[in-house]
């Protein structure tokens, strides 16, 4: 059995221990110590990282009350040697801030609104928590406010092992059924929860709790939150972005939303103006085209929906079909074809086959792309036999 120093003091980041075993495995070398402050993965929290002697520890796991520290290269020390061990203290502390913050949020949500935490996931230092009931924006805001009030109160965070008999006498949060024994982490007046991970010793160490988002999930909600140093980094990043945006918009940094809304409104007005001018331009072009059995024209700079709109405008000027192209000989042509007189599917099939094209559609309008010389395409249109494609 490995002595778990992280339960005695979660702030032990340097310690000396004796090597009991070094075993080569498929994942590298597994080192067993007589005692350790390295936390193995558990309770939703990742395993600690750090150094044993001169070896980098990339993973830690527990099996049968023995904790194994994994390294990719063999350690210079031997079994029986006493070695100095050092955790990645900043990473461990950030994870404790995050995990303790999650306990506060889950406890307050349960106390205020009766929701239960039914899912918890760490992704780096960002956490997601699944609650089993819906929560409104106002309720989420209340949870976040009360959680930070709890941080400012510097409440003690304690943990101890309860045996089976003791567990029957207390109320605590757990997603599992614990017959006992179980380690219970308690935040005074806020939460009691079964958890195997190390935590801060005071809520004041968390610094800040921020809920980033809340979405519907399986009949309840999934919130995303960050705590401690990660919340501070997120604030700094977003504040820099706000300053950059306010500078670009020549607005005060606390009025960027007003400036952005004004910009969006102006942009929409410009879009509407451009759309009106474009329609007038297309109508001007349509008015300049002469009526013909087959209206055929090439417009290099009119594309997509505009080509389709122009095709519809010209439909009254064509006895049989409107055939419009956009592009040039060196690349390809987009086409838009309208007809309510011809079997358009048969026509487009031949059109694509002859000019290495793709495309189609339904009803009286079809679109696609072809490759070829515009004069060859024009000749194909001039030589069309109407009776070949007339609808039955």
């Amino acid at each position: 059995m490995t002595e778990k120093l992280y339960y005695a003091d979660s702030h032990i980041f340097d310690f000396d221990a004796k090597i009991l075993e070094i075993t080569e495995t498929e994942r590298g070398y597994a080192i067993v110590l007589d005692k350790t402050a390295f936390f193995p993965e558990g309770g939703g929290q990742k395993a600690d990282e750090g150094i044993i002697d001169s070896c980098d520890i990339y993973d830690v796991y527990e099996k049968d009350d023995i904790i194994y520290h994994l390294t990719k290269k063999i350690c210079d020390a031997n079994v029986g040697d006493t070695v100095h061990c050092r955790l990645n203290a900043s990473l461990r502390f950030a994870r404790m801030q995050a995990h303790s913050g999650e306990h506060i949020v889950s406890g307050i949500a349960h106390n205020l609104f009766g929701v239960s935490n039914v899912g918890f996931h760490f992704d780096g230092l960002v956490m997601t928590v699944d609650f089993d009931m819906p929560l409104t924006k106002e309720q989420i805001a209340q949870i976040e406010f009360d959680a930070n009030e709890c941080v400012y109160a510097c409440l003690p965070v304690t943990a101890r092992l309860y045996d089976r008999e003791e567990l029957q006498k207390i109320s605590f949060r757990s997603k599992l059924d614990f017959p006992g024994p179980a380690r219970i982490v308690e935040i005074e007046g806020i939460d009691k929860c079964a958890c195997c991970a190390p935590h801060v010793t005071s809520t004041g160490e968390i610094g800040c709790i921020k809920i980033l988002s809340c979405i519907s999930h399986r009949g309840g909600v999934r919130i995303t939150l960050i705590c401690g140093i990660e919340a501070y980094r997120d604030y700094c990043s977003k504040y820099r972005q706000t300053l950059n945006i306010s500078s670009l918009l020549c607005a005060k940094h606390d009025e960027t939303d007003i400036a952005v809304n004004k910009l969006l409104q102006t942009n929409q007005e410009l879009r509407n103006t451009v759309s009106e001018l474009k329609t007038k331009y297309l109508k001007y072009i349509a008015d300049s085209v002469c009526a013909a059995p087959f209206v055929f024209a090439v417009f290099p700079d009119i594309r997509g929906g505009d080509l389709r709109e122009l095709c519809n405008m010209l439909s009254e000027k064509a006895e049989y079909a409107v055939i419009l192209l956009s592009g040039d000989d060196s690349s390809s042509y987009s086409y838009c074809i309208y007809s309510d007189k011809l079997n358009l599917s048969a026509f487009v099939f031949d059109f694509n086959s002859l000019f290495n094209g793709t495309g189609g559609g339904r009803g009286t309008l079809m679109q696609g792309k072809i490759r070829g010389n515009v004069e060859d395409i024009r000749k194909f249109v001039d030589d069309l036999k109407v009776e070949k494609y007339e609808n039955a």
Side-chain angles (χ1 to χ4, degrees), residues 18 61 64 87 96 98 100-101 103 108 110 117 131 136 146 154 164 177 184 211 230 253 266 277 301 364 390:
K18 182 184 293 186
Y61 68 92
D64 299 329
L87 279 67
M96 292 197 303
S100 297
H103 276 227
I108 288 175
H110 181 75
N117 178 331
F131 290 126
T136 65
D146 287 5
C154 293
R164 181 175 302 184
D177 181 21
I184 305 298
I211 297 176
E230 189 66 14
H253 74 274
T266 301
L277 290 173
D301 299 323
T364 59
E390 280 185 312

Side-chain angles (χ1 to χ4, degrees), residues 89-99 101-102 121-128 148 205-212 224-241:
S90 60
L91 179 60
R92 156 67 91 77
F93 185 67
R95 286 173 175 169
M96 292 197 303
Q97 287 180 310
H99 203 153
E102 177 272 317
H121 179 69
F122 249 122
D123 183 6
L125 294 175
V126 179
M127 297 167 290
T128 58
N148 282 286
E205 293 182 81
I206 297 170
C208 179
I209 296 173
K210 182 61 186 173
I211 297 176
L212 298 177
T224 301
L225 72 152
I226 50 178
C227 303
I229 192 66
E230 189 66 14
Y232 171 72
R233 292 192 185 108
D234 181 73
Y235 167 79
C236 290
S237 173
K238 289 176 179 174
Y239 185 65
R240 284 194 299 270
Q241 292 177 45

Side-chain angles (χ1 to χ4, degrees), residues 3-202:
E3 181 184 351
K4 300 172 181 178
L5 299 176
Y6 49 83
Y7 281 166
D9 183 353
S10 63
H11 291 65
I12 295 177
F13 304 128
D14 286 84
F15 64 98
D16 292 327
K18 182 184 293 186
I19 296 179
L20 301 182
E21 181 183 315
I22 300 176
T23 307
E24 186 173 3
T25 71
E26 292 181 354
R27 299 177 61 197
Y29 295 89
I31 301 173
V32 176
L33 304 173
D34 65 337
K35 56 188 175 183
T36 187
F38 284 90
F39 173 68
E41 184 170 358
Q45 186 167 316
K46 295 287 188 181
D48 284 328
E49 300 173 10
I51 294 174
I52 293 178
D53 195 29
S54 60
C55 294
D56 291 329
I57 302 303
Y58 75 92
D59 195 13
V60 186
Y61 68 92
E62 182 177 4
K63 182 178 180 182
D64 299 329
D65 290 326
I66 298 174
I67 296 177
Y68 297 87
H69 310 75
L70 290 177
T71 178
K72 294 186 181 298
K73 68 175 185 177
I74 193 166
C75 187
D76 292 334
N78 299 309
V79 173
D81 290 349
T82 296
V83 290
H84 184 67
C85 310
R86 185 172 71 253
L87 279 67
N88 181 333
S90 60
L91 179 60
R92 156 67 91 77
F93 185 67
R95 286 173 175 169
M96 292 197 303
Q97 287 180 310
H99 203 153
S100 297
E102 177 272 317
H103 276 227
I104 292 173
V105 168
S106 295
I108 288 175
H110 181 75
N111 296 337
L112 286 179
F113 307 114
V115 298
S116 295
N117 178 331
V118 293
F120 170 58
H121 179 69
F122 249 122
D123 183 6
L125 294 175
V126 179
M127 297 167 290
T128 58
V129 179
D130 298 338
F131 290 126
D132 61 351
M133 292 168 53
L135 291 169
T136 65
K137 291 181 179 179
E138 292 74 19
Q139 288 172 325
I140 290 293
Q142 184 65 55
I143 292 169
E144 181 182 89
F145 181 85
D146 287 5
N148 282 286
E149 286 279 284
C150 175
V151 170
Y152 309 148
C154 293
L155 301 176
V157 181
T158 59
R160 79 174 182 90
L161 194 66
Y162 286 73
D163 61 28
R164 181 175 302 184
E165 184 177 338
E166 290 176 311
L167 280 180
Q168 306 306 313
K169 300 177 182 178
I170 66 171
S171 176
F172 63 97
R173 288 190 307 109
S174 175
K175 292 186 284 292
L176 302 174
D177 181 21
F178 278 101
R183 182 174 180 264
I184 305 298
V185 175
E186 180 176 359
I187 301 169
E188 186 179 320
I190 301 296
D191 189 46
K192 283 184 179 180
C193 181
C195 184
C196 63
H199 287 264
V200 298
T201 56
S202 166

Side-chain angles (χ1 to χ4, degrees), residues 241-310:
Q241 292 177 45
T242 299
L243 290 180
N244 289 338
I245 293 170
S246 67
S247 176
L248 290 170
L249 298 178
C250 299
K252 295 179 180 179
H253 74 274
D254 57 348
E255 295 181 355
T256 53
D257 59 334
I258 298 173
V260 169
N261 283 328
K262 184 176 180 181
L263 179 64
L264 291 174
Q265 182 179 350
T266 301
N267 186 52
Q268 186 58 53
E269 292 171 355
L270 289 173
R271 284 175 178 270
N272 293 339
T273 300
V274 168
S275 179
E276 292 171 3
L277 290 173
K278 189 181 291 184
T279 298
K280 290 180 180 179
Y281 171 64
L282 294 177
K283 190 175 185 307
Y284 171 78
I285 292 175
D287 290 343
S288 67
V289 175
C290 297
F294 289 93
V295 173
F296 175 81
V298 181
F299 301 99
D301 299 323
I302 300 178
R303 304 180 185 278
D306 296 335
L307 194 67
R308 184 169 59 249
E309 185 175 350
L310 181 58

